[in-house]
Amino acid sequence: MKKIYDNADKALEGLLHDGMLIAAGGFGLCGIPELLIAAIKRAGTKNLTIASNNAGVDGFGLGQLLESRQVKKMMSSYVGENAEFMRQYLAKELEVEFNPQGTLAERMRAGGAGIPGFYTKTGVGTLIAEGKETKDFNGQTYVLERGIFADLAIVKAWKADPSGNLVYRKTARNFNPPAATCGKICVAEVEEIVPLGSLDPDMIHTPGIYVHRLIKGDHEKRIEQRTTRKKESV
Amino acid sequence: MPWDRNQMAARAAQELQDGWYVNLGIGIPTLVSNYIPKGVEVTLQSENGMLGMGPFPFEGEEDADLINAGKQTVTELPQTAFFDSSQSFAMIRGGKINMAILGAMEVSETGDLANWMIPGKLIKGMGGAMDLVAGVKRVVVVMDHTNKAGESKVLKSCTLPLTGKAVVNRIITNLGVLDVVPGGVKIVECATDVSEAEIKAATEATIIA
């Protein structure tokens, strides 16, 4: 069975070092490993390279690690909602490697699947393809992208069982499954750890083989853009 | 009168065909879902891992785990499926999505699209846009015909960094509808009370008769 830790700080003990590459799940603030990010902030680990679709918002999610200057480089697809990110980037205090969202997801998936390189049409003819090898298939040009092999993967799931099997909820799934596979070690934070045998084996999203450490905790689950529609009056 | 945002969205909704799978970009394209014609059933794909995206929730029913690509809370439908981001872009890159409707900063007469960065100023990132334009079957851009400075956004050649090369099929602006064709762009339709002359004056790209 997998080791279940009391809290995020203990779950990361022995796993953090300056200069490491971390793959993180989450899309915006949805499905982000809140507790593990906060623990990394407390640990003060520096010069981090983080592969994550977004960079949180000012004060929450990965935004916290930007504020505490722990991040050297981000590998992301969209950072529009984070003023501190923009400021550090334009002031050249932060390196950013923009990855198209699909390329980022596939790089994580490929890294976890033993595929060191793959070809995609995404970005051909744009800045993204500069300096990269290309190859023609069926008369069309594709660009070579490399798998991401992270030191650590931090993910958020809905439920886990003690063998590390994970189930995600709705759009909080997003980057968590590919991220979980591409780290040497994966730590997963969940809302609930359920008894062994209570998850339907046909409905497991991330098989336990990918998960090394587990924590259960309470999540804020902030909504970035609360949007509603009016009820039509009868 | 040139079309306003809602009218542009309503015109873009006319591009949808029954049974299609469609991805709507953030901004004006999200309004398209308000104008889907009667009898036309489309399934909206959200790049963050959802097929069959429903309308915004009623107040009090927002779910932090259920958002669209613009980070807004949404709802599900009976046909909804959830999947991870690598699966989402597999279906996009794999050509299963019929149409992407997205915004733009610039479009060129060869169908090049720029919508993700202004060097030194606005660099939010490309999100899923590069994958979408490289993968979907048909790309429709919805944008204002000119920028805040009154300059044309329909150009001979994009000046901003590209999102995709030769990817745009149709452009819907506040002035009308243009298609990217061999040699340039062709005026397909004028907005209400807008003349072809007005469109030509606002278009830097080569206009094919």
Side-chain angles (χ1 to χ4, degrees):
Chain A
M1 294 299 114
K2 299 299 150 87
K3 184 107 204 299
I4 298 171
Y5 290 77
D6 289 330
N7 58 54
D9 301 288
K10 292 195 178 143
L12 290 171
E13 246 164 57
L15 301 183
L16 301 175
H17 61 261
D18 289 349
M20 71 188 306
L21 171 59
I22 301 177
F27 180 91
L29 300 180
C30 186
I32 59 169
E34 300 175 17
L35 308 176
L36 291 165
I37 291 170
I40 293 171
K41 175 173 179 177
R42 287 190 292 272
T45 324
K46 298 189 308 294
N47 289 327
L48 299 170
T49 297
I50 304 184
S52 169
N53 189 55
N54 314 100
V57 296
D58 297 305
F60 191 68
L62 290 170
Q64 293 172 81
L65 300 183
L66 291 176
E67 278 158 16
S68 54
R69 307 306 185 108
Q70 291 171 261
V71 182
K72 181 177 116 173
K73 175 172 167 179
M74 289 295 301
M75 297 162 64
S76 304
S77 85
Y78 188 81
V79 293
E81 317 305 333
N82 193 317
E84 177 59 14
F85 182 114
M86 285 275 232
R87 200 201 57 72
Q88 284 187 23
Y89 175 55
L90 291 174
K92 300 202 196 312
E93 292 164 13
L94 174 68
E95 249 182 273
V96 180
E97 181 191 288
F98 280 107
N99 280 256
Q101 196 179 146
T103 297
L104 185 64
E106 187 62 18
R107 290 183 69 191
M108 290 184 188
R109 194 206 71 83
I115 306 276
F118 59 89
Y119 287 92
T120 172
K121 215 185 213 188
T122 302
V124 169
T126 77
L127 287 177
I128 291 310
E130 261 169 36
K132 294 177 184 162
E133 283 174 56
T134 58
K135 196 177 173 75
D136 278 16
F137 295 86
N138 299 321
Q140 309 252 339
T141 305
Y142 293 75
V143 62
L144 177 65
E145 296 280 3
R146 293 165 180 273
I148 290 174
F149 301 87
D151 297 303
L152 172 69
I154 54 173
V155 299
K156 156 76 186 352
W158 184 28
K159 298 182 190 177
D161 72 20
S163 75
N165 290 324
L166 301 179
V167 175
Y168 305 94
R169 185 167 178 272
K170 301 189 193 284
T171 60
R173 192 187 309 199
N174 60 69
F175 277 80
N176 288 294
T181 65
C182 76
K184 277 203 200 78
I185 304 273
C186 171
V187 183
E189 58 182 81
V190 299
E191 296 176 39
E192 202 184 335
I193 297 181
V194 297
L196 202 60
S198 60
L199 292 179
D200 178 350
D202 276 328
M203 310 293 263
I204 304 296
H205 299 147
T206 294
I209 195 168
Y210 293 109
V211 179
H212 302 92
R213 300 186 180 190
L214 287 169
I215 51 160
K216 164 189 144 41
D218 294 318
H219 293 82
E220 184 184 328
K221 293 172 73 166
R222 202 179 282 195
I223 293 177
E224 220 171 315
Q225 304 273 352
R226 191 176 300 269
T227 318
T228 56
R229 75 186 198 277
K230 288 191 172 49
K231 280 198 163 109
E232 276 136 37
S233 33
V234 177
Chain B
M1 276 282 281
W3 288 326
D4 64 22
R5 309 174 87 223
N6 285 302
Q7 288 168 318
M8 284 158 68
R11 177 58 186 82
Q14 302 288 318
E15 299 293 311
L16 304 176
Q17 289 185 32
D18 193 42
W20 271 12
Y21 291 90
V22 177
N23 184 294
L24 302 177
I26 56 179
I28 298 178
T30 51
L31 301 175
V32 170
S33 57
N34 298 332
Y35 299 100
I36 299 176
K38 231 186 172 126
V40 173
E41 273 194 32
V42 299
T43 303
L44 298 178
Q45 196 255 12
S46 192
E47 69 199 20
N48 55 314
M50 183 180 190
L51 202 56
M53 191 172 64
F56 299 135
F58 294 124
E59 217 176 290
E61 294 175 7
E62 307 94 337
D63 184 336
D65 289 337
L66 188 47
I67 61 168
N68 65 14
K71 325 297 194 316
Q72 301 170 301
T73 44
V74 293
T75 56
E76 31 187 286
L77 298 170
Q79 69 262 45
T80 291
F82 296 113
F83 36 86
D84 72 56
S85 299
S86 62
Q87 171 78 279
S88 176
F89 284 91
M91 69 183 67
I92 288 170
R93 244 185 272 104
K96 310 302 182 198
I97 307 287
N98 298 92
M99 175 177 276
I101 304 181
L102 23 61
M105 293 163 181
E106 296 176 343
V107 179
S108 85
E109 64 188 34
T110 52
D112 293 346
L113 170 69
N115 75 352
W116 76 279
M117 84 181 274
I118 300 178
K121 281 164 68 182
L122 198 64
I123 309 173
K124 295 189 167 191
M126 73 293 284
M130 284 191 179
D131 293 280
L132 282 160
V133 300
V136 305
K137 296 193 177 122
R138 191 166 160 77
V139 175
V140 172
V141 161
V142 179
M143 69 176 188
D144 285 328
H145 210 102
T146 55
N147 63 23
K148 288 188 177 97
E151 299 157 333
S152 179
K153 291 169 67 169
V154 186
L155 307 171
K156 284 192 167 26
S157 194
C158 291
T159 66
L160 296 173
L162 296 186
T163 306
K165 205 154 173 55
V167 293
V168 179
N169 302 107
R170 174 162 280 191
I171 311 166
I172 297 172
T173 77
N174 52 327
L175 300 183
V177 181
L178 302 95
D179 276 351
V180 176
V181 299
V185 295
K186 190 178 163 85
I187 301 173
V188 169
E189 198 176 314
C190 299
T192 331
D193 296 333
V194 170
S195 69
E196 273 205 19
E198 271 176 83
I199 296 182
K200 284 183 182 163
T203 306
E204 194 226 42
T206 309
I207 301 209
I208 304 291

